[in-house]
Amino acid sequence: QEMGRACIEILEQPANKLIGGPGVVVHIDETVIIRGGEWTKSKCPSLMEDDEPPVGSMWVLGAIEGVAGARACWAVYVKERTAETFTRIMKEHIRSGSIIHSDGHRSYPPACKALNLEHKVVIHADGLVTDDGVHTQKIEGWWSGLKKRRLLQGGVDREHIHTFLAEAVFLHRFAHDKSTYRKGIQMLLQRALN
């Protein structure tokens, strides 16, 4: 948990909080990180953008820059997938002028409109990439890695979802940035010694 708290502290710094920017494509998506009830993909293979897994599932909204090699990303636990929630979180984490690529969830268009962000949609029932190249494959790939990490850790306690996400974002963003990565490790060591 200490590592997660150190990661949160670093990610909350203004220089690390925002991603995207003028003309930068940002892939955004929501996913279930902890499932409630008896739902499984095999029992419900046709789950689409607006379908809801059972009560008790924990949703995460996240985004990643779509530029090849870019590592800037964020992920936030959300209690509800409303346009108001998406607008508030996107305002905190996405720079103006970004170009948003999302799936067809109904909350993205009003959130992008409220923030004056260009918005392009891929409807996954029609294919993974539109004819003009719009897709969300980078965030979908990151979700896959995040869920594998969750499994390797033996799951995630609901009380620790924030620190789990912070560690995952920190490692993805800064494992290649030795200066920031070292700063996170130093913060962790200082906390352990105090």
Side-chain angles (χ1 to χ4, degrees):
Q1 294 309 309
E2 287 303 317
M3 175 67 174
R5 285 190 274 278
C7 292
I8 289 170
E9 199 170 313
I10 290 170
L11 293 170
E12 287 297 319
Q13 294 173 0
N16 298 329
K17 197 166 184 176
L18 293 168
I19 68 169
V24 176
V25 171
V26 174
H27 295 181
I28 190 166
D29 191 39
E30 74 290 344
T31 192
V32 173
I33 198 73
I34 299 174
R35 297 201 186 284
E38 295 295 318
W39 185 91
T40 65
K41 195 73 166 176
S42 63
K43 291 181 184 176
C44 188
S46 62
L47 186 71
M48 299 306 293
E49 278 90 356
D50 288 331
D51 292 342
E52 294 290 334
V55 173
S57 297
M58 294 186 78
W59 286 94
V60 174
L61 177 66
I64 190 167
E65 290 182 0
V67 181
R71 302 192 65 78
C73 62
W74 53 264
V76 176
Y77 162 65
V78 292
K79 291 183 179 178
E80 54 189 14
R81 296 184 303 150
T82 63
E84 294 78 18
T85 298
F86 284 17
T87 302
R88 178 181 49 79
I89 292 170
M90 290 167 66
K91 184 177 182 179
E92 291 175 14
H93 295 281
I94 297 176
R95 288 185 181 95
S96 60
S98 298
I99 302 167
I100 305 301
H101 285 196
S102 77
D103 63 22
H105 191 279
R106 65 185 169 271
S107 293
Y108 292 118
C112 290
K113 184 177 181 181
L115 298 172
N116 200 28
L117 296 169
E118 183 178 346
H119 182 219
K120 298 182 178 186
V121 179
V122 57
I123 304 298
H124 289 141
D126 298 336
L128 298 178
V129 181
T130 66
D131 291 341
D132 56 348
V134 176
H135 64 87
T136 57
Q137 292 178 354
K138 197 162 180 194
I139 186 70
E140 299 288 354
W142 192 60
W143 287 148
S144 178
L146 185 74
K147 290 174 183 182
K148 284 178 187 171
R149 183 171 191 267
R150 180 197 67 208
L151 290 174
L152 289 172
Q153 286 184 198
V156 178
D157 290 333
R158 291 174 182 273
E159 307 83 54
H160 301 129
I161 189 72
H162 299 289
T163 54
F164 169 78
L165 293 172
E167 287 176 25
V169 169
F170 177 83
L171 290 171
H172 185 81
R173 284 186 75 170
F174 301 118
H176 296 83
D177 175 355
K178 291 181 182 173
S179 171
T180 305
Y181 189 74
R182 196 174 2 232
K183 182 178 177 182
I185 299 301
Q186 287 172 343
M187 287 174 71
L188 177 61
L189 290 173
Q190 285 176 337
R191 287 174 181 216
L193 295 173
N194 289 336

